[in-house]
Structures are given as C-alpha cells and as structure tokens.
C-alpha cells in the first residue's frame, strides 16, 4: 500500500549469506601452517577471539549501522518506532554474542563490511544533504 517492499531490508544479508557461510567453513577447516597460524593477538583466524575484542567490535559496528539506519528511516507508527528502538539494541547484542564462538576471520570480515557499509551510507546521506542545500 505504501510502496515499500518488506524484503528490501533483507536483500543485502541474503546476498552476503553464501559468502559468510563459505568463510565460516573455510576458516574452521583450513590446515594452517604453524608459522602462519597466528594473526595479531589471535592464535588462529579459524578459532574464536580469546580476548573478546572482535565480538565487542562486531557489536559496536553493528550498533553504528543500526543507529545510522534508524536516523534515516521514519517510523509510521508508535509500535514501529518501539520495534526500531528494540532492534537497535537487540541486534548488536545478538551479533556480539554469536561472535563469541565464530572464527576470528569471519568476525574481521563482518566488522570491515560494517565499516564500509557505514562509510558508504554516510557519503550517500551526506551527499543528499548537500544537494538539498543547493536546490
């Protein structure tokens, strides 16, 4: 009725899902050589972060994306506004929680993807504000 496709918000994650699954299994089952097994503070990219830095960063980067998206969408009802507020906190906490057991390499991919998505959206929204000022 409103001209909005309910699946449009799911499309990016559906496209990304095969890549996430491939990275997940590749990192877990890859036979690392001992000389190249560790990366920065991580004992292996195929094992979870023992210092919990990456799960924290994944939750923060997901929160930044959620916050940015909430700022650009307008809730049509009070119920939708409440749902957006709940998802703005629940989704980052969920992502951080599942990141505790995922391979570190996958979490690095997730964080970098979020940073690029945030930057892309910031440029798009910032460019729209400039265009409106000149119009």
């Amino acid at each position: 009725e409103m001209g909005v496709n309910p699946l449009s918000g799911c499309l990016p994650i559906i496209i990304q899902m095969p890549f996430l699954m491939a990275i997940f299994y590749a990192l877990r089952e890859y036979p690392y050589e001992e000389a190249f097994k560790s990366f920065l503070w991580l004992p292996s990219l195929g094992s979870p972060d023992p210092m919990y830095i990456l799960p924290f960063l994944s939750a923060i980067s997901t929160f930044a994306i959620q916050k940015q998206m909430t700022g650009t969408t307008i809730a049509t009802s009070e119920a939708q506004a409440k749902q957006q507020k709940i998802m703005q906190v629940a989704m980052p906490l969920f992502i951080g929680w599942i990141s505790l057991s995922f391979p570190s390499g996958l979490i690095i991919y997730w964080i970098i993807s979020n940073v690029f998505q945030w930057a892309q959206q910031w440029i798009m929204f910032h460019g729209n504000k400039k265009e409106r000022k000149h119009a």
Side-chain angles (χ1 to χ4, degrees):
E1 291 177 18
M2 305 293 266
V4 176
N5 184 354
L7 297 178
S8 65
C10 299
L11 186 61
I13 194 69
I14 290 172
I15 292 170
Q16 210 174 15
M17 193 58 74
F19 295 102
L20 291 171
M21 290 172 48
I23 293 170
F24 178 83
Y25 289 112
L27 288 171
R28 279 222 159 148
E29 298 171 9
Y30 187 79
Y32 296 97
E33 289 185 35
E34 286 300 317
F36 304 107
K37 195 170 183 178
S38 65
F39 179 72
L40 299 174
W41 71 90
L42 304 167
S44 168
L45 291 176
S47 62
D49 180 3
M51 298 177 70
Y52 305 117
I53 294 170
L54 292 177
F56 176 75
L57 290 176
S58 69
I60 294 296
S61 65
T62 303
F63 178 78
I65 294 294
Q66 293 284 331
K67 184 78 170 167
Q68 187 180 46
M69 290 305 294
T70 303
T72 60
T73 57
I74 299 169
T76 56
S77 68
E78 188 176 325
Q80 188 178 13
K82 286 180 183 178
Q83 184 180 14
Q84 284 179 347
K85 285 183 181 182
I86 291 170
M87 287 304 292
Q88 189 174 356
V89 174
M91 191 64 160
L93 289 176
F94 176 73
I95 294 296
W97 179 69
I98 64 171
S99 296
L100 293 172
S101 61
F102 279 6
S104 299
L106 181 64
I107 305 308
I108 291 170
Y109 169 79
W110 183 265
I111 293 167
I112 291 173
S113 295
N114 281 347
V115 168
F116 276 104
Q117 181 182 355
W118 182 87
Q120 179 185 13
Q121 289 176 355
W122 185 84
I123 290 168
M124 287 173 34
F125 298 139
H126 188 68
N128 285 344
K129 288 178 184 176
K130 283 184 180 179
E131 288 175 11
R132 283 187 223 140
K133 286 182 182 178
H134 294 296

